């Protein structure tokens, strides 16, 4: 949760941008996310592929292919996410998160892992 800066934005093709502006909203987003994936049987996640692109001295983009696993070890889901990060002088923090849904690959047309 501390990896996300304030404010940050969540982008999805199905709904309007969600802007998280304060600590209470950041906590609510995290809690909602964890309840949702744990309710579907999630146990752990692994990063299968990660690529990073510097955009400026204190701005970067990361692509991550992630597999979420259930408690029994089976695959819950595979996803690709793009994170825009900003360095605030102390740490790199996420300022935007967007999921790229299959069959789309996102910037760079990198095959999914």
């Amino acid at each position: 949760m501390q990896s996300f800066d304030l404010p940050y934005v969540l982008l999805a093709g199905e709904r309007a941008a969600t802007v998280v502006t304060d600590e209470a909203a950041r906590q609510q987003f995290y809690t909602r996310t964890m309840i949702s994936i744990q309710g579907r049987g999630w146990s752990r996640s692994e990063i299968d592929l990660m690529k990073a692109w510097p955009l400026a001295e204190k701005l970067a983009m990361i692509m991550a292919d992630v597999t979420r696993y259930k408690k029994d070890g089976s695959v819950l889901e595979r996803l690709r996410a793009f994170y825009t990060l900003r360095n605030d002088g102390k740490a790199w923090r996420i300022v935007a998160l967007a999921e790229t849904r299959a069959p789309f690959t996102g910037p760079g047309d990198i095959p999914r892992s």
Side-chain angles (χ1 to χ4, degrees):
M1 197 169 65
Q2 297 303 318
S3 297
F4 287 86
D5 202 358
L6 287 173
Y8 67 90
V9 64
L10 303 166
L11 304 166
E14 297 81 32
R15 60 187 177 277
T18 300
V19 180
V20 178
T21 60
D22 60 34
E23 186 58 39
R26 180 166 57 180
Q27 180 65 45
Q28 183 181 36
F29 164 73
Y30 177 79
T31 301
R32 227 179 19 244
T33 299
M34 294 309 293
I35 288 170
S36 173
I37 65 173
Q38 288 174 346
R40 294 186 291 134
W42 174 82
S43 173
R44 64 185 177 82
S45 299
E46 286 186 14
I47 298 171
D48 304 309
L49 176 67
M50 188 167 73
K51 298 224 179 247
W53 297 271
L55 303 175
E57 186 174 320
K58 294 188 175 198
L59 189 66
M61 179 180 282
I62 292 175
M63 179 202 79
D65 285 351
V66 176
T67 301
R68 290 181 176 159
Y69 292 94
K70 295 181 181 180
K71 293 174 184 147
D72 66 5
S74 64
V75 173
L76 174 64
E77 64 188 343
R78 296 182 195 279
L79 61 97
R80 174 170 280 182
F82 284 87
Y83 302 87
T84 303
L85 296 95
R86 180 183 74 84
N87 188 306
D88 64 5
K90 298 177 195 163
W92 287 93
R93 302 205 189 279
I94 299 165
V95 294
L97 166 60
E99 184 178 344
T100 302
R101 301 274 172 116
F104 302 101
T105 56
D109 200 25
I110 298 166
R112 291 176 178 265
S113 56

